């Protein structure tokens, strides 16, 4: 099943959310407006809002209420992407562009803050304290994840559990919360809400592992950035963890940390990882999470949405870029 | 009256808030912990929590509830200070310190995000949607203020209204919201809550104008940074607006924007502003806001806290550094 087909049924509700996103990002500052409008137009799969809607179908579905859960989640995701990009382009900060880059970075930082604040403004329509607690906790853990990722940069000999904890915070929690908050907002029973929550967690884990594999196996064009970027930025992902005892990988990491790889060396590094068993091993782990996600669906009462959830989980688990 | 005397009565409640602040800033990341603990220890006047407590005295005062309003406000204030400092020290980013400074900046950014998230976590205990809306709106406007301040940098020929709008967003709104949210959380009548809200706004305006004057009139030692820093960073504050037609000021601004002032030139610039009428004019405006704040107090029902609010407003309006 194509993702577009899955989305077709929700088209009008996704349109409601898109409109709300545009409104939320409206600002009296030109700079903020420009930065934000660009973000909405850039689109995205809107995976988090879709999970909110799908999971809410197991309870009382009311788009006018649900949009105040879906929009904050998408905004928190967007804001975290904006902050991820801050200060990353070091070329921009050299020589005479320093001040301009400084301003750009500051504006990017405040754009992220602004989007966070807009998320809360939308969520303020929801009076269930538990929903506020879930989102706040997710945001805390997102930050923890980002900083721990910085702490763990270039660290080989990582425990695989460290990696799982990191991607849980970085990705899985926000998808878990999308499912859980959608269910809670629709008054789904606690038992079913927990299945949906765990479903979201497992899908999120599977999703991020695939992402980390694709960073090595997809082409620069498919990725929209150089393949191997994770490692080039010092992020040790699952495929690399499986190879961390290989002296050739250790040499690459050291070289990246102290200087730069030539284009030829990057290609050799990619070939080394692609031809290793690490990719298959990592894929197997992603598949295991996918199966766990599907197992949670089996525990839910019979409902047409069960098939949709399976479809979207499989789509995410099987995508090849 | 000394601020310490005013605080004495609230000592045990402020201790509750301090403890809650320490707890809120606790993190599983060492880097976040170090950065945050440092912040709490650095202290601060805790003006915002004190306003929450003072204003709540006009209703049902319950510290266990109020702390979930006072702590988020102080955390939002702290987070915005942390983000203000990001990327500001350009020396740190030159030469071989670049990567380290990059990391430091990234950690500072995520520390701010983390503190924002902790603010929401604390606020999640409060189920009144209006309180969430007020804080979210304040955070949106804080970001707008920050970005507009960037847009307005080095811009002479500023309308005085632009300045007032800017300091409203940057400072007054958060103090206004502290008073308003404290009142709302304590169930103060809508009429009195509005007086307390406006009181907070006027005090906040007075406070920031004094701050902008002191940046020129206080010593480097009193300020803990070079006097004139606002202008050196391109921020055009009220005293400068009153002098913006003076060609000597225009020359200084141009020189700052394109290069740097020598220490001698900075001293000349300070003398020029200090000896001008701009300082007295700006002080008069601050005093006017202070009087407006006191006038709001007069509209409140008789209550021992009215004197305290007057004392704190006067303290803020008269402080000389």
């Amino acid at each position: 099943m194509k993702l577009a087909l899955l989305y077709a049924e929700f088209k009008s509700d996704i349109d409601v959310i898109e409109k709300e996103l545009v409104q939320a990002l409206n600002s009296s500052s030109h700079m903020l407006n420009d930065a934000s409008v660009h973000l909405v137009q850039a689109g995205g799969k809107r995976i988090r809002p879709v999970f909110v809607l799908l999971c809410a179908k197991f309870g009382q579905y009311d788009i006018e209420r649900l949009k105040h859960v879906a929009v904050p989640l998408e905004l928190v995701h967007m804001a975290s992407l904006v902050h991820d990009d801050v200060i990353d382009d070091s070329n921009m900060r050299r020589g005479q562009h320093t001040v301009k880059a400084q301003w750009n970075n500051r504006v990017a930082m405040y754009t992220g803050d602004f989007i966070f604040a807009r998320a809360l403004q939308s969520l303020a329509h929801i009076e269930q304290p538990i929903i506020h607690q879930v989102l706040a906790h997710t945001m805390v853990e997102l930050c923890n994840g980002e900083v721990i990722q910085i702490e763990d940069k270039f660290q080989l000999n990582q425990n695989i559990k460290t990696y799982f904890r990191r991607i849980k915070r970085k990705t899985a929690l926000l998808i878990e919360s999308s499912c859980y908050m959608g269910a809670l907002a629709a008054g789904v029973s606690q038992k079913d809400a927990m299945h949906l929550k765990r479903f979201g967690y497992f899908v999120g884990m599977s999703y991020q592992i695939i992402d980390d594999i694709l960073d090595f196996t997809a082409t620069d064009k498919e990725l929209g950035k150089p393949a191997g970027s994770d490692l080039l930025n010092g992020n040790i992902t699952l495929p690399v963890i499986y190879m961390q005892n290989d002296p050739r990988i250790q040499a690459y990491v050291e070289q990246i940390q102290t200087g730069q790889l030539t284009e030829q060396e990057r290609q050799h590094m990619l070939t080394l990882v692609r031809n290793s068993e690490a990719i298959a091993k990592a894929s197997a782990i992603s598949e295991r999470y996918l199966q766990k996600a599907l197992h949670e669906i089996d525990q839910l009462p019979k409902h047409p949405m069960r098939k949709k959830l399976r479809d979207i989980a499989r789509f995410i688990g099987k995508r090849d870029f």
Side-chain angles (χ1 to χ4, degrees), chain A:
Chain A
M1 183 181 192
K2 289 261 168 65
L3 200 60
L5 272 174
L6 174 76
Y7 276 39
E9 189 175 330
F10 287 93
K11 171 118 190 24
S12 70
D13 288 351
I14 292 176
D15 285 349
V16 170
I17 288 167
E18 289 293 331
K19 234 179 249 167
E20 198 77 12
L21 283 171
V22 171
Q23 257 181 20
L25 296 180
N26 191 30
S27 157
S28 47
S29 148
H30 295 301
M31 278 189 188
L32 277 182
N33 251 340
D34 293 353
S36 305
V37 166
H38 177 75
L39 265 175
V40 181
Q41 282 170 349
K45 294 187 285 294
R46 308 291 186 235
I47 288 275
R48 291 147 200 89
V50 166
F51 276 127
V52 170
L53 301 185
L54 278 167
C55 293
K57 285 283 185 185
F58 290 85
Q60 278 95 47
Y61 187 97
D62 171 9
I63 184 65
E64 286 308 308
R65 177 174 171 75
L66 292 169
K67 70 181 182 186
H68 292 303
V69 172
V71 165
L73 282 158
E74 187 69 9
L75 290 176
V76 166
H77 170 63
M78 279 181 178
S80 72
L81 290 184
V82 171
H83 277 186
D84 274 359
D85 283 344
V86 170
I87 328 173
D88 253 358
D89 184 354
S90 53
N91 290 322
M92 285 292 292
R93 280 194 322 288
R94 282 183 196 146
Q96 55 181 323
H97 285 124
T98 308
V99 174
K100 188 172 171 295
Q102 247 188 65
W103 282 19
N104 288 347
N105 269 329
R106 288 190 79 76
V107 171
M109 185 178 66
Y110 289 123
T111 303
D113 290 0
F114 169 75
I115 299 172
F116 275 131
R118 285 298 201 192
L120 306 179
Q121 230 177 353
S122 179
L123 193 71
H125 291 90
I126 303 289
E127 73 300 329
Q128 289 167 275
I130 174 95
I131 289 186
H132 289 266
Q133 281 154 21
V134 170
L135 188 64
H137 175 254
T138 304
M139 288 168 69
V140 166
E141 290 297 299
L142 261 177
C143 298
N144 273 327
E146 293 287 0
V147 174
I148 291 169
Q149 177 164 314
I150 294 174
E151 290 174 338
D152 290 348
K153 268 193 184 187
F154 297 111
Q155 301 296 317
L156 286 181
N157 303 317
Q158 278 190 33
N159 193 310
I160 200 165
K161 277 188 194 159
T162 314
Y163 167 79
F164 288 136
R165 252 197 317 261
R166 206 164 60 227
I167 65 169
K168 175 183 176 177
R169 286 172 158 142
K170 209 182 118 183
T171 305
L173 254 176
L174 199 57
I175 296 181
E176 169 187 309
S177 299
S178 302
C179 294
Y180 192 40
M181 286 166 64
L184 291 172
V188 171
S189 76
Q190 187 57 27
K191 181 176 161 288
D192 291 345
M194 289 308 291
H195 287 305
L196 290 165
K197 181 182 172 187
R198 280 194 294 265
F199 165 78
Y201 167 69
F202 291 133
V203 167
M205 295 295 283
S206 173
Y207 180 86
Q208 186 59 49
I209 295 169
I210 296 280
D211 228 52
D212 292 345
I213 293 170
L214 289 174
D215 191 67
F216 287 106
T217 59
T219 63
D220 297 5
K221 203 181 154 197
E222 286 166 341
L223 292 166
K225 60 182 177 181
S229 283
D230 284 341
L231 191 52
L232 296 174
N233 288 322
N235 294 331
I236 310 296
T237 57
L238 193 53
V240 178
I241 290 178
Y242 283 129
M243 302 178 74
Q244 61 189 358
N245 292 325
D246 185 325
R248 290 167 299 177
I249 281 291
Q250 292 167 353
Y252 280 127
V253 169
E254 205 187 314
Q255 199 186 337
I256 292 166
Q257 193 171 9
T258 52
Q260 255 190 329
L261 292 192
T262 64
E263 176 55 21
Q264 204 190 14
E265 287 166 331
R266 180 176 76 97
Q267 292 300 342
H268 284 164
M269 178 192 80
L270 289 173
T271 307
L272 177 65
V273 178
R274 284 170 185 163
N275 293 342
S276 75
E277 285 175 4
I279 298 298
K281 278 191 194 170
S283 298
I285 302 281
S286 173
E287 177 64 23
R288 210 151 76 194
Y289 277 113
L290 178 59
Q291 290 306 323
K292 285 186 182 189
L294 296 175
H295 180 70
E296 292 296 332
I297 304 295
D298 297 338
Q299 323 287 308
L300 287 167
K302 289 215 186 311
H303 190 293
M305 284 302 132
R306 295 207 311 178
K307 181 175 176 337
K308 299 267 176 202
L309 285 175
R310 283 194 196 101
D311 286 340
I312 198 168
R314 282 204 196 93
F315 173 84
I316 282 173
K318 301 294 181 200
R319 82 209 145 97
D320 42 17
F321 71 90

